[in-house]
């Protein structure tokens, strides 16, 4: 065994006797995904002192690569990191990864409730632009959504300068986004603006007339004008 290339996942809140084989297998699978370097990392045993999942790595280069990957996955909320955090949250365990000198390499958050789920994708949101500011390379931009919620975005200084000309107007912004799901609800965590468009809202009377005059529409004979107005408002007309 590589005595100087050891890593231990220390699970607080349990012991080797309390950890079932099935659950141990899930933790080892998640840990293997987090570490990577599958041919160089070896499982040794589970020891006392909470439940300590002990591993060792073939050589210094692979050992350093495992540490770097683990920290990188944690910083980026990578899938293998979230897999471990999910298991810990389900069991209510605290955990950390330590080396052979008992130095903490990575400490996991203590979560005893539904784990927030983060998705990164191309996305878009729209609302009233009411804040463009900052003096750094990444300027904060805020939009007010239809339900009064705040959409937190970021833009380059050049993009922020363009957006500044449209304060208090309705805009739609698009770009790389992070969405947080918790308690069954999605919330925008952040959107990096890559493009935008100003949304022109129709005057209610103008929109009504356009719909009324449109060929082939069924609303000319509609007796309930209030229903029409409600439908127009639902389409974000003023």
């Amino acid at each position: 065994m590589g005595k100087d290339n050891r890593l231990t996942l220390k699970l607080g809140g349990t012991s080797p006797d309390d950890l079932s084989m099935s659950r141990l297998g899930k933790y080892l699978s998640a840990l293997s995904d987090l570490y990577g370097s599958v041919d160089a990392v070896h499982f040794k045993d589970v020891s006392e002192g909470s439940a300590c999942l002990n591993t060792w790595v073939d050589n210094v280069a692979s050992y350093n690569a495992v540490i770097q990957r683990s920290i990188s996955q944690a910083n980026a909320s990578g899938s293998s990191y979230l897999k471990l955090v999910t298991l810990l949250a389900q069991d209510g365990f605290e955990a950390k990864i330590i080396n052979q000198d008992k130095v903490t390499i990575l400490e996991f958050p203590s979560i005893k409730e539904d784990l927030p789920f983060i998705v990164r994708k191309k996305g878009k949101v729209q609302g009233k632009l009411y804040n463009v500011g900052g003096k750094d390379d990444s300027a904060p931009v805020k939009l007010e959504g239809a339900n009064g919620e705040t959409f937190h975005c970021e833009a380059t200084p050049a993009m922020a300068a363009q957006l500044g000309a449209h304060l208090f107007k309705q805009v739609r912004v698009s770009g790389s986004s992070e969405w947080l799901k918790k308690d069954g609800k999605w919330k925008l965590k952040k959107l990096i603006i890559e493009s935008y468009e100003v949304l022109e809202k129709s005057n209610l009377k103008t929109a009504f007339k356009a719909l009324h005059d449109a060929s082939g529409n069924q609303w000319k004979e509609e007796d309930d004008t209030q229903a029409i107005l409600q439908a127009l408002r639902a389409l974000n007309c003023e």
Side-chain angles (χ1 to χ4, degrees):
M1 182 184 75
K3 294 182 179 179
D4 296 327
N5 302 322
R6 287 179 285 134
L7 292 170
T8 295
L9 174 64
K10 186 172 183 179
L11 301 175
T14 188
S15 69
D17 290 338
D18 295 331
L19 198 61
S20 70
M21 181 178 291
S22 173
R23 205 60 179 168
L24 172 61
K26 291 183 183 295
Y27 275 104
L28 289 176
S29 175
L31 192 60
S32 177
D33 289 345
L34 179 69
Y35 284 167
S37 303
V38 292
D39 293 330
V41 180
H42 307 271
F43 174 65
K44 180 179 181 291
D45 57 23
V46 182
S47 59
E48 297 284 351
S50 295
C52 297
L53 280 56
N54 302 306
T55 57
W56 58 278
V57 187
D58 281 340
N59 53 68
V60 174
S62 296
Y63 175 75
N64 290 335
V66 166
I67 292 175
Q68 290 173 7
R69 172 179 164 76
S70 300
I71 294 174
S72 175
Q73 280 285 300
N75 290 338
S77 295
S79 59
S80 60
Y81 171 77
L82 291 178
K83 185 177 179 181
L84 252 176
V85 175
T86 300
L87 291 172
L88 295 169
Q90 290 170 349
D91 293 334
F93 295 161
E94 296 179 350
K96 59 183 177 180
I97 295 174
I98 59 177
N99 65 11
Q100 64 274 358
D101 299 317
K102 310 299 182 185
V103 174
T104 298
I105 302 299
L106 183 61
E107 191 159 4
F108 293 86
S110 179
I111 302 174
K112 297 183 180 180
E113 55 185 22
D114 289 340
L115 179 71
F117 182 61
I118 298 175
V119 169
R120 295 174 178 82
K121 63 174 185 176
K122 292 289 185 181
K124 60 180 65 178
V125 293
Q126 66 185 54
K128 182 174 71 175
L129 176 66
Y130 73 89
N131 181 274
V132 180
K135 55 184 179 180
D136 298 325
D137 291 338
S138 180
V141 175
K142 295 180 182 178
L143 277 64
E144 181 183 9
N147 297 315
E149 70 273 38
T150 297
F151 295 130
H152 295 274
C153 307
E154 293 181 5
T156 63
M159 180 69 74
Q162 295 178 32
L163 285 165
H166 304 293
L167 276 173
F168 307 115
K169 293 182 180 179
Q170 292 286 330
V171 299
R172 179 182 294 121
V173 296
S174 305
S176 300
S177 60
E178 290 185 5
W179 295 83
L180 181 72
K181 186 177 184 181
K182 189 174 181 180
D183 299 328
K185 297 180 180 179
W186 286 102
K187 180 180 179 181
L188 178 69
K189 184 178 179 182
K190 181 175 64 175
L191 185 145
I192 308 299
I193 301 174
E194 298 171 0
S195 63
Y196 74 92
E197 59 180 310
V198 179
L199 303 177
E200 299 294 342
K201 285 195 171 183
S202 300
N203 176 275
L204 183 60
K205 291 182 179 179
T206 302
F208 177 80
K209 186 177 186 302
L211 285 171
H212 185 276
D213 294 340
S215 61
N217 80 77
Q218 300 295 315
W219 286 5
K220 290 183 180 180
E221 293 79 26
E222 173 63 69
D223 293 328
D224 188 357
T225 56
Q226 186 61 35
I228 297 176
L229 294 177
Q230 290 177 351
L232 287 168
R233 291 191 180 98
L235 292 172
N236 288 325
C237 296
E238 293 180 343

PDB file of all heavy atoms in Angstrom, residues 96 121 143 205 218:
ATOM      1  N   LYS A  96     -15.868  14.626   5.625  1.00  0.00           N
ATOM      2  CA  LYS A  96     -14.713  15.329   5.089  1.00  0.00           C
ATOM      3  C   LYS A  96     -13.714  14.309   4.576  1.00  0.00           C
ATOM      4  O   LYS A  96     -13.724  13.141   4.983  1.00  0.00           O
ATOM      5  CB  LYS A  96     -14.058  16.224   6.145  1.00  0.00           C
ATOM      6  CG  LYS A  96     -13.578  15.504   7.398  1.00  0.00           C
ATOM      7  CD  LYS A  96     -13.022  16.508   8.394  1.00  0.00           C
ATOM      8  CE  LYS A  96     -12.592  15.820   9.698  1.00  0.00           C
ATOM      9  NZ  LYS A  96     -12.051  16.805  10.679  1.00  0.00           N
ATOM     10  N   LYS A 121     -27.457  25.620 -18.055  1.00  0.00           N
ATOM     11  CA  LYS A 121     -27.914  25.482 -19.436  1.00  0.00           C
ATOM     12  C   LYS A 121     -28.036  26.866 -20.070  1.00  0.00           C
ATOM     13  O   LYS A 121     -27.950  27.890 -19.395  1.00  0.00           O
ATOM     14  CB  LYS A 121     -29.273  24.787 -19.480  1.00  0.00           C
ATOM     15  CG  LYS A 121     -30.376  25.568 -18.785  1.00  0.00           C
ATOM     16  CD  LYS A 121     -31.719  24.907 -18.972  1.00  0.00           C
ATOM     17  CE  LYS A 121     -32.853  25.746 -18.372  1.00  0.00           C
ATOM     18  NZ  LYS A 121     -34.170  25.179 -18.632  1.00  0.00           N
ATOM     19  N   LEU A 143     -33.412  42.263 -13.268  1.00  0.00           N
ATOM     20  CA  LEU A 143     -34.706  42.403 -13.917  1.00  0.00           C
ATOM     21  C   LEU A 143     -35.798  42.061 -12.913  1.00  0.00           C
ATOM     22  O   LEU A 143     -35.605  41.194 -12.043  1.00  0.00           O
ATOM     23  CB  LEU A 143     -34.831  41.459 -15.112  1.00  0.00           C
ATOM     24  CG  LEU A 143     -34.237  41.869 -16.471  1.00  0.00           C
ATOM     25  CD1 LEU A 143     -32.729  41.997 -16.379  1.00  0.00           C
ATOM     26  CD2 LEU A 143     -34.610  40.849 -17.530  1.00  0.00           C
ATOM     27  N   LYS A 205     -55.918  49.151 -26.274  1.00  0.00           N
ATOM     28  CA  LYS A 205     -56.923  49.474 -27.289  1.00  0.00           C
ATOM     29  C   LYS A 205     -56.417  49.142 -28.682  1.00  0.00           C
ATOM     30  O   LYS A 205     -57.161  48.645 -29.525  1.00  0.00           O
ATOM     31  CB  LYS A 205     -57.283  50.954 -27.195  1.00  0.00           C
ATOM     32  CG  LYS A 205     -58.046  51.308 -25.930  1.00  0.00           C
ATOM     33  CD  LYS A 205     -58.408  52.791 -25.912  1.00  0.00           C
ATOM     34  CE  LYS A 205     -59.197  53.140 -24.655  1.00  0.00           C
ATOM     35  NZ  LYS A 205     -59.537  54.582 -24.593  1.00  0.00           N
ATOM     36  N   GLN A 218     -62.530  34.950 -34.545  1.00  0.00           N
ATOM     37  CA  GLN A 218     -63.848  34.578 -34.042  1.00  0.00           C
ATOM     38  C   GLN A 218     -64.368  35.571 -33.017  1.00  0.00           C
ATOM     39  O   GLN A 218     -65.424  35.355 -32.422  1.00  0.00           O
ATOM     40  CB  GLN A 218     -63.761  33.177 -33.391  1.00  0.00           C
ATOM     41  CG  GLN A 218     -63.309  32.088 -34.337  1.00  0.00           C
ATOM     42  CD  GLN A 218     -64.312  31.871 -35.445  1.00  0.00           C
ATOM     43  OE1 GLN A 218     -65.513  31.817 -35.196  1.00  0.00           O
ATOM     44  NE2 GLN A 218     -63.838  31.762 -36.685  1.00  0.00           N
TER      45      GLN A 218
END
